[in-house]
Amino acid sequence: MQQIRTTADLERLRGSLLQKGDPGKILIRICNTGCRARKSAKVIEAFENEVREQGLQDKVEIKKTGCHGFCEMGPIVVIEPENIFYCRVKPEDTGDIVSETILNGGVVERLLWKDPDTKKFIKCEKDIPFYKKQKKSISFNCGRIDPTDIEDYIAGGGYSALGKALTTMTPAEVVEMVVASGLRGRGGGGFPAGIKWRLCSAAPGNIKYIIANGDEGDPGAFMDRSLMEGDPHSIIEGMIIGAFAIGARHGFIYVRQEYPIAIEHLSIAIQQAEECGLLGKDILGTGLDFTIKIDRGAGAFVCGEETALMISIEGRSGTPRSRPPYPAIEGLWGKPTVLNNVETFGNITKIFSKGADWYSNIGTDNSKGTKIFSLVGKVKNTGLVEVEMGTTLREIIFGIGGGIRKGKRFKAVQTGGPSGGCIPISRIDMPVDYDSLREAGAIMGSGGMIVMDESSCMVDLARYFIQFLLFESCGKCIPCREGLKQMHHILTNICEGRGEHGDIETLTELGRFMTTTSLCGLGGTASNPVLSTIRYFRDEYEAHIYDKKCRAGVCKNLFEYYIDEELCNGCTLCKVKCPEGAITGRKKKPHMIDPQKCIKCGICYSLCKLEAVRVR
Amino acid sequence: MTGCQWTRVHRIFTKRRLTMDLKKVDSILKKHEYRHSEIIGIMQDVQDIENYLPEEILRYISEKLELSLTRIFDIATFYKAFSLVPRGRHIIKVCCGTACHLAGAMQNLEQIKRTLHVREGETTEDRTFSLETVNCLGTCALAPVVQVDEDYHDAVIPGKIDKILAIYSSKDER
């Protein structure tokens, strides 16, 4: 690999890479990260075989990219330069794509994205509403470049931000530029990144560390995963800039072990950066020495908390410690440490390549830039979306997400994972930024956005999060350990039909107590899911407690399945599959469920194609 | 950790059985430069090969690193990824992330439990399957997801559980 010793080397390499690229070539971009869950590896293999068999190697380039964002439609194949977007591609479809699109310049209509409202096929990626309304900046490279090839990143302008920061600025100027950009941490709390850097660079000591937090523990959020898998170099570049600013020589990236592809791609990226001389000694001839090591998490949610994460890197069981001293003063092994989310480092790279003014012009007064959200749950279009801060919830859920599935009604959106809260329909026109979300009882968190419809039970959701946190609480401080236990106990009682008068008040009191007295952020925000659902969906709690009814059909003891006689055609599928023999009825005649025998396993409900099995 | 699991851990810890070549452990220790701070990585590497953390290997590591066994045990029981008991040939991970939960992950989990007669964290008697839950696999757009070994099964419904499990049990027979 070519050595990059100065910024001139970097520019020369970029120039030669751009020259080498053949603009007449047809480019097939296939997701090789998120879509692997949908067997995109087989699609890639089929394309490679097809191209080889047809002798098109000189005309066609197959690029294995990161995530395109529209994960629900995977595996996704985009063909350039025409920007044709094929979704749900199977290996057997590759022959048609090659013969129709690549050889004849036509389109395979059945593989295009079909607008569920207008029933029209849309040909180009850029015209699909899901993409059209986004503002891709941090995730721009995901789905475009080959994350396992540093040259592809450099050709697209990569590492120029690093060159600019290292050769034309002093460390203090770098810190001040981050402060001026107004960037707030993307991990959850939204603490200004520049202030953290300033604190750390001013802290006494020769040894300092920089850590990228890729322990994306929030269930329902996967944008960090996508960034680590799809554009690992942007994170590394941001970290090197940070190391220069604060004077760190060693860096760590802490990645969840549930993300094997992220670990693989980051390892490749680090190795390639080392081989080129962009990591290691005397980076770009500026005298900066910096190395990065990857640490795998071992499945503990609390390790996403900064002090716990550092203790985990030190090789102990990750329990948080009290702050102050803040990690910027006393962090990893007692040395000043900057810890930022991986997405924050992606933002840093953008700030230095495009300027602090450009960055601070995007977003709202107090929340700058763009944010990637994982839009999942009951929306039509699920996946990763990147929007400007301040975009309304309505625009995200109905504009980009296409509204609620199966014609159901929107109920609430949960943001911020287990530390966040639920936002009801009445606040759908709220702008999404750090402060508005906090005011509404939720938090930005890492960017999970889980949309719920009328079939989601808010009490069950609150119980789910509390149970999650109960298992993940490290047990060090009493308010969190015992408070969660009590909350879980009360919520379980409510969900199982043993709710009592006064439960709601007890939950509220417990929640407030935990918020003010817990040791770390986990306990401090743990009651948010409960408090926010009580705030907006008190009637649902009351229906569970007083009427013993779960209208959403989630809490087992509080509803029953029945078969709508008018809809049932007597296909006997449910009767055959029922493990308890609770369904009776003759062929082609409406069936019946015996509520005494029914264990509410949901098999009949999930299998009935006519939706004749219902909840009451 | 439940009482039942503790008993099992105790049983495993009192039963001596050599499985992994200790030379392999040496090479792992060397890779991590015998550092105490690397203990989590060392244990992960052992588990990657062994599928669980055998007692004799933990004792060996403790001796070599001069690191107390209690600290190793502390780590092994604190982090969810580690198992002190042997696991099955196929590992079922039911994703219990928020998106999967809302899409019916619990019903899937219960159906698997009913079918295999095991609870979370347990292995079937014939050692074919181990059932585990995971906080989030990061494939939320495909919810609810059940991962078996390296395969992801998306949009799983209780009615399809038996078909999914059959793929793996028939794989073994062949």
Side-chain angles (χ1 to χ4, degrees), chain A residues 38 219 225 256-257 293 296-299 312 314-318 450 452 460 464 468 472 556 561 601, chain B residues 37-40 44-45 48 71 74 78-81 96-98 101-102 107 110 114 135-137 154:
Chain A
R38 281 255 173 88
R225 164 190 160 147
R256 298 176 76 199
Q257 63 140 24
K293 180 176 168 289
R296 276 194 290 168
S312 177
E314 290 170 12
R316 285 177 284 144
S317 48
I450 296 125
M452 286 165 282
D460 173 72
Y464 162 77
F468 177 93
E472 295 299 338
K556 273 190 171 183
Y561 286 119
C601 65
Chain B
S37 61
E38 298 282 311
I39 182 67
I40 298 173
Q44 280 170 329
D45 286 352
D48 284 347
R71 182 157 148 200
D74 172 31
F78 180 85
Y79 292 100
K80 215 175 165 184
C96 294
T98 321
H101 178 81
L102 288 174
Q107 286 187 325
E110 278 169 31
R114 264 195 297 274
N135 285 345
C136 184
L137 290 168
D154 58 336

Side-chain angles (χ1 to χ4, degrees), chain A residues 140-162:
Chain A
F140 181 81
N141 273 341
C142 296
R144 257 166 232 278
I145 62 162
D146 180 350
T148 58
D149 182 5
I150 191 170
E151 291 189 345
D152 211 16
Y153 180 71
I154 291 173
Y159 288 108
S160 59
L162 176 72

